[in-house]
Each structure stands twice: as C-alpha cells, then as structure tokens.
Amino acid sequence: MITSYSEQDKISDVIASQPSLLQMICRFGIQLGVGDKTVREVCTAAGVDTTTFIAVANVMKQGGSIAPLYIDKIDMVTMMHHLKSAHEFFLDFQLQHIRRKLLEAIDCSRQNEVAFLILKFYDEYMSEVRKHMEYENQRVFTHVDHLLAGKLDPDFRIRHYCKSHDGMDTKLQELKNIIIKYYTPAEGTSSDLLCNVLFSLYNCEADLRAHCDMEETLFFPAVARLEDQVAATAKDTPVEKEEPAPENLSEREKEIIACIVRGMTNKEVAAQLFISVNTVLTHRKNISRKLGIHSVSGLTIYAIVNQIVKVEEIELQ
Ligand SMILES: [Fe+2]
Ligand SMILES: [Fe+2]
C-alpha cells in the first residue's frame, strides 16, 4: 500500500491505490495505456512537471496539511493547466451530465412544483460555479501569467481573493438534502435513476471540495509567494509604470463597466471584484475622464458597442 507517492512509483499502482486520482491524471493530459511506466517516465513523456504531479497526488491523498512541503517547488504553468482542465471538466462535462440525469430522474412531465424548484436550484448552482471558475480563468490565472512575467497588478492580491474563496460544495449538500427529504417519485416509478443522480452529486461534491482544497492549500499560497518575490524585485529595481494611453481602458476598468451596466451598486461591484468601494469609485472617476461619459445609460451604449457586454445581459428599463 502506497502511503506517499514518489517519482519512482508505477503509475498503474498509483491509480490502483486511489481511483479518484484517475481524474487527476486525465486533467494533467496524461493518456492511459501506461504499461509499467513510472510516474517520472509518464510525466516526462507527456511534458508534465513531475514534481507538480507528485505534489497534487500527495495533497489529494494525504490532505492539505502536507501542501507546505511543495509550495516552493511546484511549476505554476503546470499547476494552472491542471486547474483549468478541472474547470473545463466541471463546466463542460460533469455538471451538464448531472443535469441531464436529473432531468431523466425527476418528474418534469407534469406540473410538479418540487421538481421544477429542484431544477431551478440546480441551474442557479451551475451558474454560480461557472461564475467562480470563469473568474479564476480570467482574473486569477491572468494575474499569475503577469507575475511570471515579473509584473504585479496593484489591484489584485491572491491573499484577498483567498479570504472570500468559496468551496462551492455547501449548495450541493443542500440540493441533496432537498431531494432526499422532499422529492417523492411518482407512484410506480423506480427510484434507481434518482439514487444514481444522488450518487453523482455526492461524487461531484467531493471532487469540487478536493479541487478547492488544492487551490487553497497549494496553489494560492504558491501564488502569494510569487507575488512577494515580484514585489521584492520591483522594490530593488523600480520599473517605469506602464500607463495605458489615455483613451484606452484597462481590463479592470472594462470589468467595472460591465458590472455597472448590469445594474450593480458600487458595493456589489467591490464585492464581486474583491476590491474596496473606494477603489471602485477611483476606477469610475478614471473611466468618466477617459471616455467623457458620465451616465450609466451612456456607459451602457458604450459597453454594447464595444462588446464589453451583450445586450441580453442588460436589464433595459
Ligand atoms: Fe478553481
Ligand atoms: Fe476556486
């Protein structure tokens, strides 16, 4: 029985010792058909950083308490690729797959209010997960790409994001409880499909929890370390700050515009983007100065014309 994985272990033994690692291996882009090859041989052939692979496998097996051993050793590009693949898996496959099974399992043919509410609950949950993961894809990973290029974004700190990072599993627990407690299948209907959906929800919940733990215990601390390194270097060798041309909006300003035209208050924008209300106000002032637009309706037109938002995302009054 393997207690801690090493580069010399056969990858088939690694999978056999913990089947949940199978998904992790696929997310690293490693194909099956691995024969008797070791972790190192398989990782090298697939162009995957072996240390990062071992770090992720061991954190999955032993929990986040051992993550500090690896924080300064993982390769950020490999780690981000792994996390992005997991996002794709949840958004484009697993959550959609469970929804299809849910539709088959609950009685949507009649005006069954509980079935309708269960589906609505699930859809809201899916859109929350999408928002969370798309934010990480667009904001967090871009931030890390910039750090790797030696640039530090003054508006974003991973420690701040980490504080409000949501495990995304609580709502799934609630959904399972609602189904178990309140949904009664129509008379004469088998409960097999419903039980199968519940098992999938349990697996998905555990998988999401493991994903978030990996981010919180291994990835975010490694990003924080990188931020500190880049900040220290910047102090030693001050670089000229790249100011965007006056008419050009920064990516952050576009994000702010998108939030405003969707009807969010300054406080809601601040919470959504993990910045202070004062920072939102400063951005709004800069946006008005750069564009010469001071009204929300003017910004709305600007945002649609410049494809910052789609017209259907806006509640037209
Ligand atoms: Fe994530
Ligand atoms: Fe996350």
Side-chain angles (χ1 to χ4, degrees):
M1 174 87 180
I2 302 177
T3 50
S4 177
Y5 303 115
S6 82
E7 296 181 2
Q8 299 312 320
D9 288 326
K10 280 187 195 167
I11 204 143
S12 53
D13 292 342
V14 170
I15 296 171
S17 77
Q18 198 180 344
S20 63
L21 292 182
L22 194 55
Q23 267 176 343
M24 179 205 87
I25 287 166
C26 295
R27 286 173 200 166
F28 272 111
I30 292 172
Q31 302 289 335
L32 295 180
V34 289
D36 283 328
K37 292 193 183 110
T38 64
V39 168
R40 167 170 280 282
E41 286 166 340
V42 170
C43 285
T44 307
V48 172
D49 178 68
T50 312
T51 308
T52 310
F53 181 95
I54 290 291
V56 171
N58 280 329
V59 170
M60 282 189 74
K61 186 168 177 66
Q62 298 177 54
S65 58
I66 61 141
L69 293 176
Y70 298 106
I71 285 168
D72 59 342
K73 297 185 183 72
I74 58 169
D75 174 69
M76 295 304 266
V77 174
T78 306
M79 191 69 207
M80 284 195 292
H81 175 78
H82 173 68
L83 295 173
K84 271 185 210 166
S85 302
H87 291 171
E88 266 172 37
F89 172 77
F90 286 119
L91 297 179
D92 301 339
F93 177 74
Q94 195 175 40
L95 291 171
Q96 312 272 359
H97 181 63
I98 293 177
R99 190 182 193 276
R100 282 196 293 276
K101 293 211 294 192
L102 191 60
L103 270 174
E104 268 182 64
I106 59 176
D107 177 16
C108 294
S109 60
R110 293 177 298 139
Q111 293 302 312
N112 183 328
E113 274 181 15
V114 179
F116 173 77
L117 290 172
I118 287 173
L119 200 60
K120 187 167 177 273
F121 192 105
Y122 186 78
D123 285 346
E124 281 169 7
Y125 175 71
M126 264 176 75
S127 79
E128 268 176 38
V129 175
R130 181 169 294 283
K131 200 167 137 194
H132 177 122
M133 293 185 171
E134 285 181 349
Y135 183 83
E136 286 177 349
N137 287 347
Q138 288 158 18
R139 194 74 182 100
V140 179
F141 297 154
T142 307
H143 173 65
V144 178
D145 284 338
H146 287 165
L147 287 174
L148 292 171
K151 290 186 220 154
L152 188 62
D153 181 343
D155 286 339
F156 186 90
R157 284 295 177 278
I158 199 74
R159 289 180 180 93
H160 195 175
Y161 176 64
C162 192
K163 272 188 207 156
S164 56
H165 187 243
D166 174 15
M168 297 182 294
D169 51 346
T170 333
K171 211 163 180 183
L172 265 194
Q173 284 171 22
E174 217 176 301
L175 178 63
K176 289 192 326 253
N177 286 337
I178 292 171
I179 297 176
I180 292 166
K181 286 186 182 173
Y182 306 114
Y183 182 76
T184 317
E187 223 168 283
T189 326
S190 156
S191 292
D192 289 350
L193 283 173
L194 199 57
C195 287
N196 188 263
V197 173
L198 283 168
F199 272 118
S200 300
L201 288 171
Y202 276 107
N203 285 335
C204 184
E205 183 189 324
D207 203 9
L208 272 169
R209 188 63 253 165
H211 173 82
C212 291
D213 283 348
M214 190 66 64
E215 289 176 335
E216 288 169 11
T217 61
L218 184 61
F219 179 59
F220 295 160
V223 177
R225 187 175 168 275
L226 194 56
E227 279 176 357
D228 293 344
Q229 283 174 344
V230 174
T233 314
K235 250 185 231 160
D236 293 344
T237 50
V239 283
E240 267 183 46
K241 205 177 166 195
E242 239 180 78
E243 280 290 340
E247 68 281 15
N248 287 346
L249 294 177
S250 67
E251 286 309 308
R252 176 56 104 192
E253 286 163 347
K254 288 180 192 167
E255 284 177 331
I256 303 248
I257 291 180
C259 292
I260 294 167
V261 303
R262 285 185 189 120
M264 292 167 76
T265 62
N266 289 333
K267 207 170 156 196
E268 287 167 339
V269 177
Q272 162 95 7
L273 300 178
F274 305 102
I275 55 179
S276 70
V277 173
N278 274 343
T279 310
V280 175
L281 291 171
T282 308
H283 281 303
R284 289 193 70 162
K285 227 186 276 171
N286 290 339
I287 291 165
S288 296
R289 181 178 49 78
K290 286 182 181 179
L291 301 180
I293 299 174
H294 301 276
S295 67
V296 174
S297 42
L299 278 182
T300 306
I301 295 166
Y302 176 88
I304 292 170
V305 171
N306 288 282
Q307 296 172 351
I308 294 173
V309 291
K310 291 188 181 128
V311 73
E312 58 269 25
E313 292 174 63
I314 295 166
E315 276 184 34
L316 297 170
Q317 305 286 325

